[in-house]
Amino acid sequence: MKAFLILEDGTVFTGQSIGSTREVISEIVFNTSMTGYLEVLTDPSYAGQAVVMTYPLIGNYGITPDMESSRPWVDGYIVRELSRMPSNFRCEGTIQDFLAKYDIPGIAGIDTRALTKILREKGTMNGMITTDESYDMEDVIRRLKEYTTGNVVDKVSCTEKRVLHGKGKKVALLDLGAKNNIADSLHKRGCEVTVYPAHTTAEEILASHPDGIMLSNGPGDPKECTAIIEEIRKLYESDTPIFAICLGHQLMALATGADTYKLKYGHRGGNHPVKDLKTNHVYISSQNHGYAVNGDTLAPNVAKTAFINVNDGTNEGLEYIGKNIFTVQFHPEACPGPQDSAYLFDRFIEMMGGNQ
């Protein structure tokens, strides 16, 4: 079936419908990962977004047991060529069937390089995926300009507390849209990980006397999370060691007086270089974010920049003054992506006193 991708600047791409045939309006973003498409599909940070994969062939190893949450969260999926015959000993199905199962519309057969260049030059914009050949362009553009992702953290966070039992340090993980490998990375280091819903109060978390607190990744504009920011400020004022990733990094910055802003087209993929300013080492990182912390708004007595993005100089991490707190914009848990920065979980264990 023919499908159309319509951008809010009026650009139209024509391709073939994949997955669900329902119409969807979403923010259109691109990911530069060459593999790990299932982890991308199931990353809660993509809630409210339709993802363009820049690598031209997607789906060649099918659906495997590598989901980063219980279900996919993308609004839509956009590819150049979709493999029709996946081949892998772990393959459990095709992307086409996976998208249809979860009612996610997609489009294949379009020039994803041209689309990505538009998003890079003009910035991230909203778009519609539709199979309706009689669409009214004027009406579509109006609807696209009105669309906002809103507060999507509430949509992706868990609804009940759960525990991954371990004999090591007790870690409270605030689920803002956490990928599975964050808890798994802590658990395989011996930690007992208690996962809390996003709107859990600081008092409840601190009452369990955790050895450390983990603030997870998540979707959307960090400034939408006003109530969560207030609770994170209380966590900051405690003496509990804290490690934060992605959205958690942004919320901690907002809770301590810094500002965030929207990037032109974001950082999404498994090939983003970040520099550790303490050691001058450069690590290749996995990233998925559309907002960044404005380093110029940091109070020098509160936090200092610890990592920067080598490509554009944006803030990629903070170390807090006089506190056992550090935060990073990138994803040390990877999935997908390189594991260069997984050592940061070991650093967090050391902050909590080690596993002795």
Side-chain angles (χ1 to χ4, degrees):
M1 181 184 295
K2 186 181 290 187
F4 306 92
L5 170 64
I6 308 167
L7 301 181
E8 64 178 289
D9 70 347
T11 303
V12 178
F13 291 88
T14 304
Q16 295 83 47
S17 173
I18 56 174
S20 171
T21 58
R22 70 179 176 87
E23 185 175 277
V24 67
I25 291 177
S26 188
E27 183 179 46
I28 311 297
V29 300
F30 63 88
N31 184 293
T32 58
S33 296
M34 297 175 67
T35 185
Y37 50 78
L38 183 60
E39 293 94 324
V40 170
L41 284 165
T42 56
D43 182 348
S45 293
Y46 282 115
Q49 297 175 329
V51 180
V52 183
M53 301 300 292
T54 63
Y55 192 70
L57 177 64
I58 297 296
N60 56 312
Y61 54 87
I63 297 300
T64 54
D66 299 311
M67 292 174 64
E68 278 300 299
S69 60
S70 60
R71 50 156 287 186
W73 290 103
V74 299
D75 282 351
Y77 204 51
I78 303 161
V79 300
R80 174 68 183 91
E81 180 182 353
L82 201 59
S83 174
R84 300 296 171 183
M85 297 179 63
S87 177
N88 187 280
F89 72 100
R90 301 167 72 233
C91 179
E92 300 175 347
T94 67
I95 284 189
Q96 297 93 311
D97 292 341
F98 184 77
L99 295 175
K101 175 183 176 180
Y102 289 99
D103 196 29
I104 297 172
I107 184 170
I110 70 167
D111 187 342
T112 50
R113 175 174 175 156
L115 172 57
T116 301
K117 288 177 71 175
I118 290 172
L119 298 176
R120 280 180 58 90
E121 291 167 5
K122 297 186 178 182
T124 297
M125 64 182 80
N126 295 332
M128 172 189 284
I129 298 173
T130 182
T131 58
D132 181 7
E133 297 189 35
S134 60
Y135 62 83
D136 181 327
M137 179 63 85
E138 186 175 330
D139 178 63
V140 170
I141 297 299
R142 177 188 59 78
R143 293 167 60 194
L144 291 177
K145 291 186 179 298
E146 291 175 351
Y147 174 81
T148 61
T149 58
N151 184 357
V152 278
V153 169
D154 292 352
K155 178 180 177 181
V156 300
S157 179
C158 63
T159 56
E160 295 182 344
K161 183 173 70 173
R162 63 185 176 89
V163 181
L164 282 72
H165 294 284
K167 297 181 179 179
K169 296 298 182 182
K170 293 170 57 180
V171 177
L173 170 57
L174 189 63
D175 178 10
L176 306 168
K179 292 163 62 184
N180 288 341
N181 204 38
I182 293 178
D184 291 344
S185 294
L186 292 166
H187 190 242
K188 75 180 182 182
R189 288 169 170 80
C191 296
E192 177 170 295
V193 184
T194 302
V195 183
Y196 291 90
H199 286 281
T200 305
T201 64
E203 288 79 7
E204 180 180 345
I205 293 173
L206 295 171
S208 67
H209 303 291
D211 296 302
I213 298 170
M214 182 92 221
L215 308 179
S216 82
N217 64 294
D221 183 345
K223 291 179 181 177
E224 295 276 350
C225 304
T226 52
I228 299 172
I229 292 169
E230 291 178 11
E231 299 305 313
I232 289 177
R233 176 68 196 191
K234 298 173 188 175
L235 297 177
Y236 166 82
E237 291 170 350
S238 75
D239 291 324
T240 309
I242 300 175
F243 178 25
I245 292 172
C246 195
L247 179 63
H249 155 79
Q250 297 164 5
L251 296 183
M252 179 61 75
L254 289 168
T256 53
D259 195 16
T260 58
Y261 63 99
K262 188 170 186 177
L263 296 167
K264 184 176 180 181
Y265 47 81
H267 300 150
R268 299 175 181 88
N271 51 3
H272 292 265
V274 296
K275 183 177 183 179
D276 185 334
L277 297 183
K278 184 177 291 185
T279 65
N280 282 330
H281 289 172
V282 173
Y283 301 94
I284 302 302
S285 69
S286 175
Q287 302 204 10
N288 175 14
H289 62 103
Y291 294 82
V293 173
N294 184 344
D296 294 335
T297 63
L298 295 171
N301 63 331
V302 173
K304 64 179 180 180
T305 299
F307 290 87
I308 61 168
N309 188 293
V310 176
N311 288 336
D312 60 14
T314 53
N315 185 283
E316 291 280 0
L318 297 172
E319 186 174 329
Y320 284 78
I321 310 300
K323 294 281 187 177
N324 254 346
I325 301 174
F326 76 99
T327 68
V328 293
Q329 181 64 75
F330 51 95
H331 287 262
E333 84 287 351
C335 284
Q339 299 178 4
D340 294 26
S341 55
Y343 74 92
L344 292 174
F345 288 102
D346 299 314
R347 177 179 168 185
F348 183 42
I349 302 292
E350 292 170 6
M351 284 170 53
M352 294 186 287
N355 274 330
Q356 292 79 18

